[in-house]
Amino acid sequence: MEMKPANTKNGVPVLHSAKDGCKPKKFTPDEVLVPNPSFKENQGTKRKRKTLPLKVEEIIEKVKDQKEDKDMQPGSLSIYELERLENIRQNQVFLSSIKLLEAKQDLKPEKTQRGLKRQNNKVAWTEILPPRTKSLRIQKKEAERLPLPLEPHRIYYEVERIEHARKPEGPISMEPINMEEDSSLPPELLKLWTEDLIKEEKEELSLEEYRSTLKSMELSEIGGVAKVVKSRIFSVAFHPCSSRLLMAAGDKLGGVGLWNLDSDMGDEGVLLFEPHVQPVACMAFSRSHPTDLLTLSYDGTLRSTDVEKAVFDEVYRIKDGLRTFDFLSHDCSTLVTGDWYGDVAIVDRRTPGTSHESLHSLDTKTVRCVHVHPVQKQYVMVAENSIVSIYDARCLKASSREPVSQLYGHSKSISSAYFSPGTGNRVVTTCLDNNIRIYDTSELASRAPLLTSIQQNLYTGRWLSKLQAMWDPKRDDCFVVGSMQQPRRVQVFHESGQLQHSFQDPEMTTVLSVTAFHPTRNALLGGNASGRLYVFTD
């Protein structure tokens, strides 16, 4: 029997290429495949097309007729696209029937910002570059022989730019920039600002009772956060009144914001002023005259807020570089200031003019913080480069400038140094070597003994204000400091280094670099880099 090849044509073998055996199957319009849940159940069975509504069937028939036509226009809908559109329509009808879209909108929380409103004042501009000049070498000219300029005096900011931009000398009108022009201050601010303080003698709480008080303080769900200034906060302060919470904050642009927690004045309780043009590095309410708020700025001005006259009076003025100040007398009439050039000035507010009584240049390159002993007002503590020195203000002369006591142990720059508020027997320092140190200053020896050192991440970078440990004015043994840890928090420590409490809240998503306790009430204030204040109360 003669064998014949299977693939023959007229008795001649026919060779097939691999491409011919792998040609894709061509489906007719009726064979639209629909995926099935199980492959085994449908194996060997013919897949059927979905049943569509009559309107869609009519459209499909029209498409078939168009495909048969040779002059069919490109871009018309295919059967698959028609099925997809019909599925979308049916899904929309189903979602509308169960009102799912409306429920989704109801679940979205309304994002409201308390305080200053965002302003979009962006102006488009193009930079016009000056024509490029040819060098003397290209012009084939000899260079002029010029002597080297003298080494300039170190400056922190450009003096000429500050002189041109900063506010004029003398009093400045106290007009809120977030209100209409020529608008007067709200009467409720005047009433609260000039409120008579009632001094209540309270028994000092034990450490356990103090911890329970801290745990009872929370961030208010409604109104506990407000944008008070436009830019990064450098300093904060509580008004000493106890009937309401009135807070102040100074920012990087020279703005000073006031926030009344239980008021609707201005922008939901916020009034914004601009008495300075550079960062407001330090601010404090006078302890003898609570109606007096003093603000110090890098632009070289120290101003006093007089709400009754509605002006910012000028107390002290230099070219630039003011960094810190404190009250040198019990009646707050005498001040001590420090600048970036290592100078300490004594300012008497009773003397006419805006100059200092005496100026003392220390050996340090810069003065980052000055603080006065709460009991013995003649002792002034100065945070220098890596040493904290305590001087006698009566002996700050060129011949006898030796410090009374010094606090050693810091390996990097010191951000702050403060006496304990009641007795001054303790000093807390914050250093960039990631350590918070507590010293014993009950006896001002030449070398103050170190009691405790707390390791803490204090590296904030250039976009955040430096972390500073601040005492609770109501206690002599506990202080508060911001934290770089996640989730964000504010921590309260005992002088022994023991953590007492950590303030945390889901709303607190940024670092609160600047913190302060209320002098009489259970309230804590924190400011961040976007100009917002957070207040924790019981």
Side-chain angles (χ1 to χ4, degrees):
M1 183 177 178
E2 185 179 0
M3 302 294 294
K4 294 183 179 180
N7 299 325
T8 58
K9 187 176 182 181
N10 299 327
V12 180
V14 179
L15 299 178
H16 296 278
S17 64
K19 293 183 178 181
D20 295 336
C22 300
K23 287 183 178 180
K25 182 180 179 180
K26 296 182 178 180
F27 293 94
T28 62
D30 295 334
E31 296 178 339
V32 178
L33 299 181
V34 179
N36 291 313
S38 176
F39 175 76
K40 292 184 179 180
E41 295 177 2
N42 298 323
Q43 190 173 7
T45 61
K46 186 176 181 180
R47 300 181 179 179
K48 297 182 180 181
R49 181 169 61 87
K50 283 185 178 180
T51 59
L52 302 175
L54 295 177
K55 292 183 180 181
V56 180
E57 292 286 354
E58 295 175 0
I59 298 175
I60 293 175
E61 292 297 331
K62 291 181 181 180
V63 172
K64 289 181 182 179
D65 298 339
Q66 291 177 357
K67 283 189 176 182
E68 293 176 359
D69 190 2
K70 292 183 181 180
D71 298 332
M72 178 179 177
Q73 296 180 357
S76 58
L77 296 178
S78 64
I79 300 175
Y80 169 75
E81 292 172 338
L82 293 173
E83 288 185 3
R84 174 178 170 274
L85 293 176
E86 178 62 20
N87 290 337
I88 293 174
R89 189 191 67 79
Q90 292 179 1
N91 292 337
Q92 293 282 356
V93 173
F94 175 71
L95 293 177
S96 300
S97 64
I98 64 176
K99 299 182 178 181
L100 183 61
L101 299 178
E102 291 82 353
K104 179 181 177 182
Q105 295 295 331
D106 295 339
L107 291 176
K108 289 184 177 180
E110 296 183 1
K111 296 183 178 180
T112 58
Q113 173 180 297
R114 185 172 181 180
L116 300 178
K117 306 303 179 185
R118 183 174 297 176
Q119 299 177 356
N120 296 325
N121 296 329
K122 296 183 179 179
V123 180
W125 61 279
T126 55
E127 183 179 4
I128 301 176
L129 299 177
R132 187 173 180 178
T133 58
K134 295 182 180 181
S135 64
L136 295 177
R137 182 183 62 82
I138 295 178
Q139 297 178 14
K140 296 181 179 180
K141 297 181 180 179
E142 294 185 0
E144 299 179 5
R145 297 183 179 274
L146 300 175
L148 293 176
L150 298 176
E151 184 178 355
H153 179 66
R154 63 182 187 276
I155 57 175
Y156 191 73
Y157 281 100
E158 298 176 11
V159 179
E160 295 181 358
R161 176 171 58 85
I162 293 177
E163 284 290 342
H164 177 71
R166 67 177 177 174
K167 306 293 182 180
E169 297 184 12
I172 297 176
S173 178
M174 195 174 178
E175 298 178 356
I177 64 173
N178 60 331
M179 295 179 65
E180 297 180 357
E181 294 184 2
D182 300 331
S183 58
S184 59
L185 296 176
E188 56 182 314
L189 176 63
L190 297 173
K191 181 179 178 181
L192 184 61
W193 198 273
T194 58
E195 177 184 300
D196 293 333
L197 300 182
I198 301 175
K199 295 184 179 180
E200 299 179 1
E201 295 183 0
K202 297 182 179 179
E203 295 182 359
E204 186 175 348
L205 301 176
S206 64
L207 199 58
E208 185 176 352
E209 293 173 339
Y210 181 66
R211 280 196 294 265
S212 62
T213 303
L214 295 177
K215 293 178 181 178
S216 66
M217 296 166 57
E218 296 180 351
L219 188 69
S220 176
E221 295 182 359
I222 302 175
V225 183
K227 187 173 179 63
V228 181
V229 288
K230 294 181 179 180
S231 185
R232 175 173 27 134
I233 293 178
F234 272 63
S235 55
V236 295
F238 267 113
H239 190 276
C241 66
S242 57
S243 61
R244 291 187 180 183
L245 291 179
L246 178 61
M247 295 147 281
D251 72 346
K252 180 181 178 181
L253 303 178
V256 174
L258 299 178
W259 178 27
N260 188 355
L261 186 62
D262 302 321
S263 173
D264 293 329
M265 64 179 187
D267 289 332
E268 297 181 349
V270 175
L271 296 176
L272 181 61
F273 308 91
E274 288 185 344
H276 304 281
V277 296
Q278 292 294 329
V280 182
C282 189
M283 63 167 48
F285 283 93
S286 172
R287 290 183 287 271
S288 60
H289 304 285
T291 59
D292 194 8
L293 172 64
L294 276 77
T295 58
L296 177 143
S297 174
Y298 287 179
D299 61 9
T301 58
L302 174 62
R303 293 187 178 275
S304 171
T305 306
D306 191 339
V307 176
E308 295 178 345
K309 296 180 181 179
V311 294
F312 290 98
D313 283 327
E314 194 171 55
V315 177
Y316 182 50
R317 186 183 186 95
I318 62 173
K319 287 186 177 181
D320 74 314
L322 279 180
R323 175 63 181 87
T324 177
F325 83 96
D326 196 13
F327 301 103
L328 191 58
S329 59
H330 291 282
D331 60 355
C332 301
S333 60
T334 309
L335 310 173
V336 56
T337 68
D339 59 31
W340 287 108
Y341 308 135
D343 298 333
V344 173
I346 307 297
V347 180
D348 193 342
R349 302 179 62 184
R350 297 166 296 186
T351 304
T354 58
S355 182
H356 49 258
E357 292 294 319
S358 59
L359 182 66
H360 312 280
S361 298
L362 304 180
D363 295 334
T364 181
K365 293 182 179 179
T366 182
V367 175
R368 299 184 181 275
C369 181
V370 295
H371 198 237
V372 179
H373 197 284
V375 180
Q376 305 178 59
K377 290 291 186 178
Q378 69 272 19
Y379 293 124
V380 179
M381 182 166 55
V382 180
E384 303 175 0
N385 293 331
S386 59
I387 298 177
V388 177
S389 301
I390 301 176
Y391 295 93
D392 191 336
R394 301 168 298 182
C395 303
L396 281 176
K397 297 180 181 179
S399 58
S400 58
R401 202 185 298 158
E402 292 296 327
V404 177
S405 179
Q406 288 187 313
L407 284 61
Y408 292 94
H410 308 89
S411 59
K412 291 187 178 181
S413 298
I414 301 169
S415 302
S416 63
Y418 296 103
F419 284 107
S420 55
T423 61
N425 292 337
R426 298 288 185 269
V427 169
V428 59
T429 65
T430 310
C431 184
L432 294 184
D433 60 4
N434 291 337
N435 279 280
I436 299 174
R437 296 175 174 88
I438 296 92
Y439 292 86
D440 182 8
T441 55
S442 56
E443 296 181 1
L444 294 177
S446 59
R447 188 184 184 101
L450 175 65
L451 297 179
T452 312
S453 180
I454 305 171
Q455 288 189 353
Q456 186 90 338
N457 181 14
L458 302 174
Y459 182 74
T460 57
R462 62 177 298 186
W463 305 114
L464 299 178
S465 299
K466 295 291 185 292
L467 299 178
Q468 297 184 6
M470 304 290 293
W471 293 102
D472 186 346
K474 301 179 291 295
R475 296 187 66 88
D476 231 28
D477 57 353
C478 292
F479 58 89
V480 61
V481 65
S483 176
M484 299 293 294
Q485 298 181 27
Q486 291 276 12
R488 300 306 183 192
R489 65 195 69 184
V490 175
Q491 297 176 315
V492 179
F493 288 94
H494 187 258
E495 63 175 13
S496 61
Q498 181 183 4
L499 177 64
Q500 301 301 306
H501 184 63
S502 292
F503 291 93
Q504 298 183 25
D505 192 272
E507 293 290 330
M508 193 167 63
T509 58
T510 57
V511 178
L512 302 187
S513 304
V514 188
T515 55
F517 269 109
H518 194 279
T520 56
R521 291 184 54 175
N522 296 324
L524 174 66
L525 183 62
N528 67 1
S530 62
R532 286 177 172 81
L533 287 181
Y534 294 71
V535 56
F536 294 83
T537 57
D538 54 0

